[in-house]
Amino acid sequence: MPAIRNTLRPTGIRLLATAALAIGTWGAVAAPAAQANPIPTIHGGNTAIVILGYGLLPDGRMRPELVDRLRTAVVQAAFSPASPIIATGGNPHAGVTEGDAMAHWLIAHGIGANRIHVESRAADTIQNARNSAALMRSMGITDAVVVTSSNHMPRAANDFVRAGVPVVGRISPQELPGLVLDLAGPRG
């Protein structure tokens, strides 16, 4: 029996992941525009995953809130493997910008460096949106999934829309179910 249980376990995980994906896809259609999607949705190469920075500690290390955003972005990246990732945030501390710190973390957690584009000049959310929009245009990217905290999402999404970027997805660490993070998120 243990052999059967071990054989079935990956199938069970796949079924749970498929169910989560189905719920997430439905949620993307049914969810009001101002709310974050609780489950990531699938997007292609014309959609950027844009992670908004969060102030670094004085020594240049990331705060837990920013790490949570990155863990959430890794889940979204797993659902959208063709999507480029933009890490946006300036505000250097100890010679490290938010964008650079995020890029290093993403690479250390299995995201290919070729997917990551750093925007390290933004000092606030409006600049995150404007600078990311310019970067996206230069790459031929048409829309974005915004990754930020749930309390920051309405303002961030509006800033991106004002910058000319259609926001086709919103995902935040506070609303991502733990099961999805456990199944698709980074280890360690």
Side-chain angles (χ1 to χ4, degrees):
M1 283 308 239
I4 292 172
R5 175 179 276 163
N6 289 339
T7 303
L8 293 177
R9 183 158 190 229
T11 302
I13 290 172
R14 279 190 218 101
L15 287 173
L16 285 173
T18 301
L21 176 61
I23 292 168
T25 302
W26 176 81
V29 172
Q35 292 183 335
N37 297 332
I39 309 250
T41 54
I42 297 173
H43 297 280
N46 287 330
T47 300
I49 300 167
V50 183
I51 313 160
L52 276 64
Y54 190 88
L56 301 174
L57 294 168
D59 64 2
R61 288 182 298 125
M62 293 186 297
R63 296 177 192 271
E65 177 67 28
L66 184 52
V67 173
D68 288 346
R69 290 179 186 183
L70 291 168
R71 292 179 70 217
T72 301
V74 168
V75 173
Q76 179 61 56
F79 279 80
S80 302
S83 292
I85 299 169
I86 297 175
T88 175
N91 302 316
H93 287 279
V96 179
T97 66
E98 295 165 9
D100 289 330
M102 290 188 283
H104 290 297
W105 189 96
L106 290 165
I107 291 167
H109 288 85
I111 300 294
N114 60 326
R115 284 185 77 182
I116 302 168
H117 304 272
V118 176
E119 186 293 299
S120 59
R121 297 173 300 136
D124 59 31
T125 308
I126 292 171
Q127 290 177 6
N128 289 137
R130 288 179 181 165
N131 297 350
S132 295
L135 180 57
M136 290 170 62
R137 280 190 294 277
S138 75
M139 297 166 52
I141 303 299
T142 57
D143 49 40
V145 172
V146 176
V147 180
T148 191
S149 306
S150 61
N151 63 346
H152 185 230
M153 187 63 73
R155 179 167 49 102
N158 286 335
D159 287 342
F160 274 81
V161 169
R162 277 191 225 106
V165 176
V167 176
V168 297
R170 300 160 173 83
I171 186 165
S172 69
Q174 294 79 15
E175 297 185 16
L176 183 68
L179 177 63
V180 175
L181 189 58
D182 291 344
L183 291 174
R187 305 290 179 238

